[in-house]
Amino acid sequence: MAGITHLEEFSKPSLRALVDETVKNQTPSVIDQYVGNEVTYDTKFAYDIIKRSNHIAAMIGLGAEKPVVDRHATATRMGEIAHFGLKDVVTVEELYALNQARNGGEKNAMVDKLVNRSIDLVEWLQLRINVEKVKAVALGVNEYNKNGVKIALDYGIPTEHKKALTSGNDWDETDRDVIGDLLAWDEQYRETNGQSADAILMTRQALSKLTKNELIIAESGRPTGAIRVSEAEVQNVLASYGLPKIEIIDETSVTVKDIYTGDNETIEIFPVNRVVFIAKGVGNFLTGPNPDSQNFEPVATLDAYDERTPRRSIIEVAQSGFAVLDNPNLLLHADVFTV
């Protein structure tokens, strides 16, 4: 019984084109404006980054087998930090259905199903990259402890760029001078960098505090008795003080299925109470040499291969990469209410 590699859709050129098209069709996130994408041909790039946190390079398991995706999951967390990926198993029952299709339409439907599962794998690879970018910017650290791989990397955001308001003196208080807070942090940012931030990242929960702030309501020109302003009015008030624009982060966490336990887990990627001043040039997601690609090219790969014992076919994605903050001083964190 034939596997899937004889099918045109699972030839190397077709799979390469599928990766390129899937990545091209990804909608850029807010973070993509500030954390770009670069490639490196340095085979030690991941190890050099890890060294900064005084951890040994042995934690990077390049030779480890990729975990198998649960095809019923809507999203998934990828395997490892420097080299990460997933594989989907096409079972013998599915191969039988493919080879014994009663007509061309039935066969094409089965092939389309497998192609869609391949697209899922590529999208989940992109999810890992997006999660790593957001975590780097919003948390300032990269912590990972799963399947024998451990990382505790501090990206080095300056201590003076880490602010935290205390309960009773934070944005939960509607009479808080929130404009004064933002102006003070903006001044600190400009003193450090010689430039203003390009944007202030915040969640809708944080924005909600601003829309109900008495000072902003008054500055917006709303009539006496008004208890709330719109997002546009908040933006206008802050702009009148020369403050950067607000960019809203809608996804503060990602709920995925843990490949190793089968349980759902929620990964916090942006604290709901955090405000982040940010500028372009803060860093990049650096894609490095991929041992699954021909000649170790720094690209994402999508491969298909057939196995005989047990009889099955495998669809597999992989990439090597790491979120790198070249200029962590271009970040300023402020926790503006308690949670």
Side-chain angles (χ1 to χ4, degrees), residues 164-173 175-177 181 185 335-338:
L165 302 180
T166 57
S167 181
N169 295 287
D170 59 16
W171 286 11
D172 278 328
E173 308 302 316
D175 60 351
R176 174 78 183 182
D177 183 6
D181 288 334
W185 299 332
D335 293 340
V336 296
F337 60 93
T338 55

Side-chain angles (χ1 to χ4, degrees), residues 218-270:
E219 292 275 352
S220 71
R222 281 293 186 98
T224 302
I227 61 172
R228 183 178 288 105
V229 295
S230 67
E231 177 183 341
E233 287 171 313
V234 172
Q235 295 274 24
N236 288 337
V237 170
L238 299 189
S240 71
Y241 283 91
L243 288 164
K245 64 181 178 180
I246 293 174
E247 294 268 18
I248 298 299
I249 302 295
D250 286 311
E251 288 190 325
T252 61
S253 63
V254 179
T255 300
V256 299
K257 178 164 286 189
D258 187 312
I259 287 297
Y260 303 107
T261 67
D263 299 327
N264 283 340
E265 67 169 329
T266 298
I267 306 170
E268 183 184 45
I269 59 176
F270 199 110

Side-chain angles (χ1 to χ4, degrees), residues 52-72:
R52 297 178 192 171
S53 63
N54 296 320
H55 286 70
I56 60 175
M59 76 176 89
I60 304 297
L62 288 177
E65 182 180 2
K66 283 84 176 173
V68 179
V69 63
D70 177 348
R71 70 190 52 150
H72 300 296

